[in-house]
Amino acid sequence: MAILVTGGAGYIGSHTCVELLDAGYEVIVVDNLSNSKEESLKRVREITGKPVKFYKADLLDRQAVNEIFKNEPIEAVMHFAGLKAVAESVSMPLRYYHNNITGTLTLLYVMQLHNVKKIVFSSSATVYGNPHTVPITEDFPLSAVNPYGQSKLIIERILSDLYNSEPGWNIAILRYFNPTGAHPSGRIGEDPNRIPNNLFPYITQVAVGKLKVLNVYGSDYDTPDGTGIRDYIHVVDLAAGHIKALQKLNENPGIVVYNLGTGRGYSVLEVVNTFSKVTGINIPFRFAERRPGDIATSFADPSKAKNELGWTAKYGLDEMCADAWRWQQNNPDGYK
Ligand code: NAD
Ligand code: WQD
């Protein structure tokens, strides 16, 4: 029996493929390569020494997805496929709602048709909006301030309604905090198409000389150094959390929601300083206006995942910096 990984050629999906293969699962990937390269899967095979079957298909193409389920012995789905750029979602809401929500609905219809009812879904800490306090627990009020976050909230609701409507569904909703870092081999990592939106790839591209200076968005937040605080989580830890969630669904069927974060927040300046300390590279930066929609502080209370899944993050900020840098240094142009 195999695990279907949607969006498996992407950043988090490819790292999760490695963990799945290392744990002995058979892996099948479906991806339309809209934000990734097939090369990532070649490298997953190289790292693990195991095969990965790949279908280049769009989740919006119901017939194509149906064919995969007809051909393959799929027992569960890990659903990463989606568009994820917050600012782009504000300028292209229809594209984001269509891709993320209709893509998920198509997948769920086909799963239902083939009686495959186990799914692990990539949600995001963005569903907590601007939290009233930190650390954030899973029962905090949910809200969204942009179409991307709204699409995650809607999918969470769809999954919960589906669970309530029909016995047999087994659903894990994983709310990621700020995924970063790369596989320690330096062979797979985050490969943004354009100028990165996120802090870590921006820093590594400054370090490698592709970008000149880091803009630090906001210096007057209500935080100790005035810059935004986030819960950065190593992508390998995140991937390991998916294996634990899958095991949980196998042992205790139901619907579950977990935060995947370290429980520790770092400011932008702390990240910049740690990166310089670990790599020996100075990162020039300047303070800029706050980025619209940004919040001051976000970090997880990860104790539910610890207590129920036996999962905790193993890697700290030093490893995130070292691994992100190894990937960028070895692959200055990503997979190109
Ligand atoms: P990514 O863009 O690297 O990976 C997503 C993959 O999905 C890409 O390979 C893309 O080609 C594919 N895809 C998109 N739409 C598709 C479609 N309609 N059909 C088939 N394939 C499609 O992004 P990522 O960082 O690996 O994120 C994976 C998931 O985790 C996403 O759902 C994202 O929203 C969620 N997430 C990411 C972060 C983050 O900061 N990276 C944080 C929280 C949640
Ligand atoms: C982190 C901190 C910025 C870039 C986003 C999405 C969220 C989730 C993860 C998908 C903030 C600051 C950043 C830069 C900076 N994605 N920053 N200069 O905004 O916490 O979360 O990615 O689900 O939904 O919103 O992550 O890495 O963009 O920013 O100063 O060039 O770094 O202001 O304080 P964010 P990020």
Side-chain angles (χ1 to χ4, degrees):
M1 296 296 274
I3 311 299
L4 180 70
V5 182
T6 78
Y11 171 46
I12 305 169
S14 57
H15 286 81
T16 306
C17 287
V18 170
E19 297 303 309
L20 281 166
L21 291 161
D22 282 349
Y25 292 94
E26 189 184 329
V27 172
I28 294 157
V29 167
V30 56
D31 200 303
N32 64 2
L33 302 180
S34 59
N35 197 38
S36 53
K37 304 266 180 333
E38 202 179 336
E39 175 67 20
S40 64
L41 296 176
K42 285 191 194 145
R43 298 194 186 181
V44 167
R45 295 182 193 105
E46 170 203 298
I47 291 168
T48 60
K50 299 198 174 144
V52 176
K53 199 156 181 182
F54 175 55
Y55 287 88
K56 182 174 185 300
D58 197 308
L59 286 191
L60 296 168
D61 181 347
R62 187 164 168 170
Q63 226 178 328
V65 178
N66 192 46
E67 279 303 307
I68 301 171
F69 278 81
K70 257 173 42 191
N71 293 340
E72 304 292 348
I74 295 165
E75 67 169 305
V77 176
M78 290 207 179
H79 179 32
F80 297 93
L83 297 171
K84 63 164 181 176
V86 170
E88 197 180 62
S89 81
V90 175
S91 58
M92 300 181 193
L94 298 182
R95 179 163 179 244
Y96 269 68
Y97 285 124
H98 185 51
N99 189 77
N100 293 2
I101 297 172
T102 314
T104 301
L105 286 173
T106 308
L107 173 70
L108 293 171
Y109 270 124
V110 176
M111 288 176 70
Q112 193 178 46
L113 188 68
H114 293 268
N115 204 30
V116 177
K117 293 186 169 179
K118 209 179 287 172
I119 182 165
V120 179
F121 171 62
S122 302
S123 190
S124 167
T126 191
V127 299
Y128 296 116
N130 193 350
H132 57 284
T133 182
V134 280
I136 299 168
T137 52
E138 288 83 353
D139 55 4
F140 268 35
L142 304 179
S143 68
V145 291
N146 55 64
Y148 167 72
Q150 197 63 253
S151 77
K152 292 293 177 192
L153 267 183
I154 291 169
I155 295 167
E156 286 201 7
R157 173 52 67 90
I158 290 170
L159 289 169
S160 152
D161 289 343
L162 182 60
Y163 177 78
N164 290 329
S165 74
E166 198 181 293
W169 279 91
N170 252 320
I171 299 169
I173 294 169
L174 303 181
R175 295 182 181 146
Y176 313 157
F177 278 68
N178 286 62
T180 191
H183 192 266
S185 64
R187 297 293 290 156
I188 56 173
E190 190 169 8
D191 182 19
N193 264 336
R194 293 173 287 274
I195 295 179
N197 302 307
N198 296 116
L199 180 63
F200 257 84
Y202 204 104
I203 289 177
T204 58
Q205 292 202 13
V206 170
V208 84
K210 296 182 78 171
L211 295 168
K212 289 218 159 9
V213 54
L214 171 73
N215 292 306
V216 175
Y217 297 134
S219 56
D220 58 352
Y221 282 109
D222 185 15
T223 61
D225 67 17
T227 65
I229 291 180
R230 296 291 183 276
D231 185 340
Y232 298 95
I233 164 123
H234 197 296
V235 66
V236 172
D237 276 331
L238 193 64
H242 289 69
I243 314 298
K244 294 282 192 184
L246 186 61
Q247 284 164 357
K248 162 89 176 169
L249 293 184
N250 289 336
E251 288 154 18
N252 289 304
I255 183 163
V256 286
V257 184
Y258 296 108
N259 285 340
L260 295 183
T262 65
R264 164 98 211 248
Y266 289 97
S267 74
V268 177
L269 294 183
E270 284 176 312
V271 172
V272 170
N273 290 334
T274 305
F275 186 87
S276 295
K277 178 197 79 183
V278 168
T279 63
I281 299 169
N282 181 47
I283 301 297
F285 67 86
R286 63 182 171 222
F287 290 112
E289 290 292 295
R290 290 183 180 195
R291 192 170 59 176
D294 271 0
I295 56 177
T297 304
S298 163
F299 59 89
D301 177 340
S303 48
K304 190 173 175 219
K306 181 177 181 194
N307 296 335
E308 295 185 15
L309 300 179
W311 174 88
T312 43
K314 292 197 190 95
Y315 298 108
L317 192 60
D318 283 14
E319 286 103 341
M320 296 180 217
C321 290
D323 292 339
W325 175 233
R326 187 179 305 106
W327 153 254
Q328 180 76 70
Q329 199 177 18
N330 293 352
N331 307 270
D333 296 315
Y335 291 114
K336 280 171 212 86

PDB file of all heavy atoms in Angstrom, residues 9 12 22 103 117 171 211 274 298 314:
ATOM      1  N   ALA A   9       6.545  17.423  -5.063  1.00  0.00           N
ATOM      2  CA  ALA A   9       7.789  17.962  -5.630  1.00  0.00           C
ATOM      3  C   ALA A   9       8.171  19.284  -4.979  1.00  0.00           C
ATOM      4  O   ALA A   9       9.265  19.789  -5.197  1.00  0.00           O
ATOM      5  CB  ALA A   9       7.631  18.156  -7.140  1.00  0.00           C
ATOM      6  N   ILE A  12       8.062  21.434   1.202  1.00  0.00           N
ATOM      7  CA  ILE A  12       7.775  20.585   2.367  1.00  0.00           C
ATOM      8  C   ILE A  12       7.446  19.159   1.909  1.00  0.00           C
ATOM      9  O   ILE A  12       7.848  18.173   2.540  1.00  0.00           O
ATOM     10  CB  ILE A  12       6.619  21.185   3.209  1.00  0.00           C
ATOM     11  CG1 ILE A  12       6.972  22.632   3.606  1.00  0.00           C
ATOM     12  CG2 ILE A  12       6.374  20.349   4.444  1.00  0.00           C
ATOM     13  CD1 ILE A  12       5.815  23.417   4.212  1.00  0.00           C
ATOM     14  N   ASP A  22      12.106   6.737   4.191  1.00  0.00           N
ATOM     15  CA  ASP A  22      12.985   6.237   5.256  1.00  0.00           C
ATOM     16  C   ASP A  22      12.206   5.409   6.273  1.00  0.00           C
ATOM     17  O   ASP A  22      12.751   4.504   6.890  1.00  0.00           O
ATOM     18  CB  ASP A  22      13.698   7.398   5.977  1.00  0.00           C
ATOM     19  CG  ASP A  22      14.867   7.938   5.153  1.00  0.00           C
ATOM     20  OD1 ASP A  22      15.239   7.296   4.146  1.00  0.00           O
ATOM     21  OD2 ASP A  22      15.400   9.011   5.517  1.00  0.00           O
ATOM     22  N   GLY A 103      -9.255  22.358  -5.943  1.00  0.00           N
ATOM     23  CA  GLY A 103      -8.288  21.254  -6.014  1.00  0.00           C
ATOM     24  C   GLY A 103      -8.506  20.254  -4.885  1.00  0.00           C
ATOM     25  O   GLY A 103      -8.504  19.038  -5.088  1.00  0.00           O
ATOM     26  N   LYS A 117      -9.951   7.078   2.739  1.00  0.00           N
ATOM     27  CA  LYS A 117     -10.532   8.103   3.629  1.00  0.00           C
ATOM     28  C   LYS A 117      -9.552   8.597   4.694  1.00  0.00           C
ATOM     29  O   LYS A 117      -9.967   9.037   5.759  1.00  0.00           O
ATOM     30  CB  LYS A 117     -11.785   7.535   4.291  1.00  0.00           C
ATOM     31  CG  LYS A 117     -12.934   7.277   3.311  1.00  0.00           C
ATOM     32  CD  LYS A 117     -14.180   6.848   4.056  1.00  0.00           C
ATOM     33  CE  LYS A 117     -15.394   6.843   3.163  1.00  0.00           C
ATOM     34  NZ  LYS A 117     -16.581   6.405   3.892  1.00  0.00           N
ATOM     35  N   ILE A 171      -8.751  12.087   9.608  1.00  0.00           N
ATOM     36  CA  ILE A 171      -8.222  13.362   9.118  1.00  0.00           C
ATOM     37  C   ILE A 171      -7.278  13.995  10.133  1.00  0.00           C
ATOM     38  O   ILE A 171      -7.642  14.142  11.312  1.00  0.00           O
ATOM     39  CB  ILE A 171      -9.397  14.334   8.826  1.00  0.00           C
ATOM     40  CG1 ILE A 171     -10.305  13.735   7.732  1.00  0.00           C
ATOM     41  CG2 ILE A 171      -8.882  15.714   8.427  1.00  0.00           C
ATOM     42  CD1 ILE A 171     -11.629  14.452   7.545  1.00  0.00           C
ATOM     43  N   LEU A 211      20.916  38.811  -3.826  1.00  0.00           N
ATOM     44  CA  LEU A 211      20.198  40.015  -3.400  1.00  0.00           C
ATOM     45  C   LEU A 211      21.155  40.838  -2.555  1.00  0.00           C
ATOM     46  O   LEU A 211      22.065  40.289  -1.916  1.00  0.00           O
ATOM     47  CB  LEU A 211      18.950  39.628  -2.589  1.00  0.00           C
ATOM     48  CG  LEU A 211      17.862  38.865  -3.358  1.00  0.00           C
ATOM     49  CD1 LEU A 211      16.828  38.287  -2.397  1.00  0.00           C
ATOM     50  CD2 LEU A 211      17.183  39.755  -4.390  1.00  0.00           C
ATOM     51  N   THR A 274      21.935  35.124  14.251  1.00  0.00           N
ATOM     52  CA  THR A 274      22.266  33.695  14.354  1.00  0.00           C
ATOM     53  C   THR A 274      22.807  33.192  13.018  1.00  0.00           C
ATOM     54  O   THR A 274      23.784  32.429  12.977  1.00  0.00           O
ATOM     55  CB  THR A 274      21.014  32.880  14.765  1.00  0.00           C
ATOM     56  OG1 THR A 274      20.499  33.436  15.955  1.00  0.00           O
ATOM     57  CG2 THR A 274      21.352  31.412  14.975  1.00  0.00           C
ATOM     58  N   SER A 298       4.170  35.594  16.897  1.00  0.00           N
ATOM     59  CA  SER A 298       3.443  34.330  16.739  1.00  0.00           C
ATOM     60  C   SER A 298       4.368  33.188  17.127  1.00  0.00           C
ATOM     61  O   SER A 298       5.459  33.068  16.583  1.00  0.00           O
ATOM     62  CB  SER A 298       3.003  34.176  15.272  1.00  0.00           C
ATOM     63  OG  SER A 298       2.664  32.838  14.993  1.00  0.00           O
ATOM     64  N   LYS A 314      13.353  18.645  16.992  1.00  0.00           N
ATOM     65  CA  LYS A 314      14.696  18.310  17.489  1.00  0.00           C
ATOM     66  C   LYS A 314      15.704  19.403  17.178  1.00  0.00           C
ATOM     67  O   LYS A 314      16.703  19.552  17.863  1.00  0.00           O
ATOM     68  CB  LYS A 314      15.203  17.042  16.782  1.00  0.00           C
ATOM     69  CG  LYS A 314      14.475  15.773  17.122  1.00  0.00           C
ATOM     70  CD  LYS A 314      15.354  14.582  16.672  1.00  0.00           C
ATOM     71  CE  LYS A 314      14.613  13.272  16.752  1.00  0.00           C
ATOM     72  NZ  LYS A 314      14.000  12.872  15.473  1.00  0.00           N
TER      73      LYS A 314
END
